[in-house]
Amino acid sequence: MWSVGCIMAELWRRTPLFKGRTEQSQLGLIHHFCGAICRENWPAVDQLALFNNLTFPDKPLRVVKERMKNWIQDELGLDLLDKLLILDPDQRIIAKDAISHAFFSTDPMPGQLDKILSTLKMSNFEFTSTD
């Protein structure tokens, strides 16, 4: 579900969410976006093999909703993303609950893709190109 949250955010942002150059920088980006990677936020994190090798100088607050509100104006979309990107897998939303989230059943409902794309004022290349 973590990956679903990352992909969902990347679709809105059109750029990678956590673009670290090393594993440590990647974890640092997650740490400053999703809140401190620590026992308080993720009780079982100390069971991960390399957790004790990590050092973070601070304990930032979670800022998922605040940082994503420029891309996601829908409160339900922000709520779902926030639940997908919870650090502790035991507290993260499960697939059954995610697919039943109000984001998927509340207006505005999805429309026809060709009609939606025709309203865009920018290039549609990234939506219509194939690899």
Side-chain angles (χ1 to χ4, degrees):
M1 296 313 300
W2 174 267
S3 298
V4 171
C6 291
I7 292 167
M8 188 175 169
E10 291 168 1
L11 287 169
W12 266 304
R13 291 170 42 115
R14 298 184 191 169
T15 185
L17 185 58
F18 304 119
K19 194 175 180 180
R21 294 180 185 261
T22 65
E23 287 181 21
Q24 183 68 37
S25 69
Q26 182 87 8
L27 288 169
L29 293 170
I30 293 168
H31 177 79
H32 286 98
F33 190 77
C34 297
I37 300 174
C38 62
R39 290 177 191 95
E40 290 85 12
N41 292 335
W42 183 356
V45 72
D46 60 349
Q47 296 173 14
L48 298 176
L50 299 176
F51 174 72
N52 291 322
N53 295 346
L54 298 175
T55 57
F56 297 105
D58 56 357
K59 287 196 172 185
L61 298 176
R62 186 174 177 76
V63 293
V64 174
K65 288 183 178 181
E66 292 81 5
R67 293 234 185 114
M68 289 300 297
K69 67 183 176 184
N70 289 336
W71 290 277
I72 308 171
Q73 284 78 44
D74 185 305
E75 286 297 320
L76 292 172
L78 281 171
D79 181 67
L80 177 58
L81 181 64
D82 192 53
K83 290 175 178 174
L84 288 165
L85 294 178
I86 290 177
L87 290 171
D88 182 355
D90 293 333
Q91 300 301 314
R92 194 176 303 136
I93 195 169
I94 62 172
K96 181 179 87 128
D97 294 336
I99 201 71
S100 300
H101 192 278
F103 173 71
F104 295 112
S105 60
T106 305
D107 285 333
M109 296 299 288
Q112 293 293 330
L113 185 59
D114 58 340
K115 290 180 184 176
I116 294 168
L117 292 177
S118 70
T119 66
L120 296 177
K121 305 287 188 242
M122 60 184 172
S123 169
N124 296 338
F125 176 77
E126 61 194 30
F127 297 111
T128 57
S129 65
T130 59
D131 290 330

